[in-house]
């Protein structure tokens, strides 16, 4: 239960990271440049923490030999999920942009648990776990639903599938990083490798895209509030925590507990208009939805 509480707190950090990165995007215009800044700061932060823990930044040949090739792809999975959220938002609107990745995360998390993919511990997919997943999905929908919200554009099914795929990739990141963490005996080192690979990929993307490349100077000329630069540090802490807890509680329970924290913090931010967000009225349906998510987590924990 202590692990679940800490995972819940990690989940609460996600909307704060989103708010920080969104504010940073206002300063640098390009979403990819904002992501690049965030990942670069996160990589620097994890570099410092890794060195402070007396861990080497170099990877030995033995480590490469002992680990499967896919264990190094955690950063790419996170980067894909991040990019998908950027791409689908104007196509699906805010509700489905929240729902589709979460559906992908929880579904893939349950599959990873059931089959023990990525060398994870096996948690069989029972009828009760499926029922808990359904309750959680209903609760998530109740929390994020907005009256009158409309999806935009054509080919909605295609964009919905892409959104689900982004969430599935997010769900694959923790077990990959967890395996790295066990081999390196350090969750921070695993998170550093994940962030470094994503940062290198983002540099390549930004340099290849002329529209993004021209916004790079704005990193140094535009100034936002101090907290807008914290997204990378929060993200680094989040990925480190997930790498550590993935083997402790199972991927499915890890993801849904963090989602509960995410939804709780999102409601608080909306209700009080924190971090530059527009103040919104939180209705009974949102609170009932949050209770549904908590009930689903309790069922998963007891099953």
């Amino acid at each position: 239960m202590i692990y679940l509480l800490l995972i819940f707190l990690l989940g609460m950090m996600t909307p704060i990271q989103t708010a920080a990165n969104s504010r940073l995007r206002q300063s640098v215009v390009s979403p990819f440049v904002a992501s690049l800044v965030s990942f670069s700061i996160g990589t620097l932060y994890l570099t410092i923490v890794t060195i402070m823990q007396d861990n080497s930044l170099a990877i030995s040949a033995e480590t490469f030999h002992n680990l499967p090739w896919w264990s190094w792809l955690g950063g790419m999975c996170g980067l894909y999920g991040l990019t998908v959220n950027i791409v689908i938002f104007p196509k699906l609107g805010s509700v489905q942009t929240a729902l589709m990745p979460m559906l992908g995360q929880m579904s893939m998390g349950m599959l990873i648990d059931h089959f023990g993919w990525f060398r994870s511990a096996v948690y069989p997919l029972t009828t009760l776990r499926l029922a808990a997943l359904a309750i959680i999905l209903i609760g998530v929908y109740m929390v994020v639903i907005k009256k009158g919200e409309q999806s935009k554009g054509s080919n909605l099914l295609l964009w919905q599938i892409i959104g689900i795929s982004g969430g599935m990739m997010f769900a694959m990141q923790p077990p990959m990083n967890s395996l790295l963490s066990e081999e390196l005996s350090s969750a921070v080192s695993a998170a550093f490798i994940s962030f470094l690979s994503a940062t290198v990929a983002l540099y390549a993307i930004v340099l290849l895209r002329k529209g993004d490349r021209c916004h790079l100077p704005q990193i140094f000329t535009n100034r936002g509030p101090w907290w807008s630069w914290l997204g990378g540090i929060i993200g680094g802490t989040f990925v480190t925590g997930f790498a550590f807890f993935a083997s402790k509680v199972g991927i499915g329970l890890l993801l849904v507990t963090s989602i509960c924290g995410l939804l709780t913090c999102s409601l608080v931010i909306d209700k009080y208009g924190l971090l530059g967000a527009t103040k919104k009225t939180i209705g009974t349906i949102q609170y009932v939805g949050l209770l549904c998510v908590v009930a689903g987590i309790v069922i998963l924990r007891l099953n």
Side-chain angles (χ1 to χ4, degrees):
M1 294 305 296
I2 293 176
Y3 283 162
L4 293 182
L5 175 60
L6 293 174
I7 293 167
F8 176 85
L9 293 175
L10 281 175
M12 291 188 71
M13 295 169 64
T14 306
I16 300 174
Q17 180 192 22
T18 301
N21 288 342
S22 297
R23 183 59 184 84
L24 182 62
R25 179 183 175 180
Q26 294 178 26
S27 299
V28 298
V29 181
S30 167
F32 285 103
V33 173
S35 296
L36 175 60
V37 173
S38 181
F39 270 92
S40 298
I41 292 174
T43 301
L44 177 61
Y45 160 67
L46 290 170
T47 299
I48 294 171
V49 176
T50 300
I51 294 173
M52 289 177 64
Q53 290 187 339
D54 294 327
N55 292 323
S56 174
L57 298 176
I59 307 299
S60 67
E62 182 181 3
T63 298
F64 276 108
H65 177 74
N66 291 339
L67 290 173
W69 63 269
W70 47 259
S71 64
W72 305 94
L73 300 181
M76 296 299 99
C77 290
L79 179 57
Y80 177 85
L82 174 70
T83 304
V84 163
N85 280 354
I86 294 172
V87 170
I88 68 173
F89 182 80
K91 305 293 183 180
L92 296 180
S94 60
V95 170
Q96 291 200 51
T97 298
L99 281 176
M100 294 301 114
M102 286 185 187
L103 174 59
Q105 276 185 278
M106 288 186 279
S107 300
M108 178 56 77
M110 294 298 175
L111 290 173
I112 291 172
D113 278 350
H114 180 72
F115 293 105
W117 290 340
F118 308 113
R119 300 185 185 178
S120 298
V122 175
Y123 297 85
L125 187 58
T126 62
T127 303
L128 195 58
R129 287 176 71 85
L130 281 173
L133 178 61
I135 292 171
I136 291 168
L137 287 173
I138 292 171
V140 169
Y141 177 75
M142 294 171 70
V143 171
V144 303
I145 189 173
K146 296 178 182 178
K147 188 175 181 180
E149 176 75 22
Q150 298 292 326
S151 300
K152 305 171 185 178
S154 58
N155 300 320
L156 292 182
L157 179 59
L158 174 61
W159 294 114
Q160 289 166 344
I161 292 173
I162 292 173
I164 291 172
S165 74
M168 294 175 78
M169 292 296 251
F170 267 134
M172 291 162 62
Q173 185 181 32
M176 292 177 178
N177 288 344
S178 178
L179 190 60
L180 269 179
S181 173
E182 291 175 7
E183 179 66 27
L184 299 172
S185 300
S186 172
V188 175
S189 296
F192 164 73
I193 292 172
S194 181
F195 258 67
L196 179 62
S197 61
T199 302
V200 171
L202 271 170
Y203 268 108
I205 292 171
V206 170
L207 291 176
L208 288 172
R209 290 168 56 92
K210 183 178 180 181
D212 291 320
R213 194 167 62 243
C214 68
H215 291 298
L216 284 175
Q218 294 173 330
I219 296 174
F220 307 100
T221 58
N222 289 339
R223 296 289 182 268
W226 64 269
W227 52 264
S228 67
W229 301 90
L230 297 181
I233 296 175
I234 295 172
T237 303
F238 183 86
V239 172
T240 301
F242 266 38
F244 176 80
F245 290 118
S247 62
K248 311 294 183 184
V249 302
I251 303 302
L253 189 56
L254 170 74
L255 293 172
V256 296
T257 304
S258 68
I259 287 172
C260 183
L262 180 157
L263 296 174
T264 301
C265 188
S266 295
L267 290 180
V268 172
I269 289 174
D270 284 350
K271 182 177 177 64
Y272 296 102
L274 304 177
L275 301 175
T278 302
K279 193 173 183 179
K280 300 175 183 176
T281 302
I282 305 301
T284 303
I285 189 171
Q286 277 77 34
Y287 292 117
V288 173
L290 190 59
L291 289 176
C292 287
V293 175
V294 173
I297 292 174
V298 172
I299 295 172
L300 286 177
R301 176 65 183 86
L302 296 178
N303 185 26

